[in-house]
Amino acid sequence: MPDNVLVAFDGSPLSERALTYAIENFPDTPITTIYVINPTDSVIDVEAGGLPVAEDWYDNAKDRATRIHTAATNLAAERDTELDTVTEVGKPARAIIEYADDHDIDQIVMGSHGRSGIDRTLLGSVAETVTRRARIPVTIIS
């Protein structure tokens, strides 16, 4: 049984399933959800929306992170579970792995693909990278 579980949570249905899995399978283990603000996404937003979007991208990303953390907290509360939430900025796979390494996480749970990006046949690029590079067990929910 792990001592600390990290769940990658972006508000997608698969991340909700991953969080539910962690709550049900590790009921006595502290759970932290992580949401990663990817600065690369801001480039896409700027290209689509121009300068006004460029000026507000980080504030918008923080607001989105708050909404996603609220969704995770509410999902956990429905199952009588408390969890910690954290927001990191960077490339999602790298941020997830670094957070796990720096915070004594010994199990990562995540969906096979998230809300953004082009889906791969089996795994999204973030899930694949985390699975390959993490030094701890990773459970992929599909």
Side-chain angles (χ1 to χ4, degrees), residues 4-24:
N4 293 293
V5 174
L6 181 65
V7 178
F9 193 86
D10 64 1
S12 68
L14 281 176
S15 70
E16 291 177 2
R17 288 178 57 185
L19 179 54
T20 300
Y21 174 90
I23 291 168
E24 290 173 355

Side-chain angles (χ1 to χ4, degrees), residues 11-132:
S12 68
L14 281 176
S15 70
E16 291 177 2
R17 288 178 57 185
L19 179 54
T20 300
Y21 174 90
I23 291 168
E24 290 173 355
N25 288 277
F26 309 113
D28 299 321
T29 303
I31 298 173
T32 300
T33 58
I34 184 170
Y35 175 74
V36 181
I37 296 172
N38 186 351
T40 305
D41 291 343
S42 69
V43 173
I44 296 167
D45 292 343
V46 169
E47 290 293 323
L51 187 57
V53 173
E55 294 172 351
D56 296 331
W57 83 265
Y58 187 66
D59 290 334
N60 293 338
K62 288 192 307 184
D63 290 343
R64 178 173 168 75
T66 299
R67 289 190 306 273
I68 287 171
H69 289 315
T70 299
T73 302
N74 290 342
L75 182 67
E78 290 171 4
R79 290 157 176 80
D80 295 321
T81 300
E82 291 184 24
L83 55 83
D84 291 320
T85 61
V86 64
T87 302
E88 295 290 324
V89 177
K91 293 182 176 183
R94 180 178 295 163
I96 292 166
I97 293 167
E98 287 177 0
Y99 186 89
D101 288 345
D102 294 344
H103 293 88
D104 296 321
I105 301 295
D106 45 19
Q107 175 77 43
I108 298 171
V109 180
M110 61 191 306
S112 59
H113 54 275
R115 188 178 289 279
S116 64
I118 298 171
D119 295 343
R120 291 192 175 189
T121 304
L122 297 175
L123 287 180
S125 60
V126 174
E128 180 180 359
T129 301
V130 170
T131 301
R132 289 178 188 247

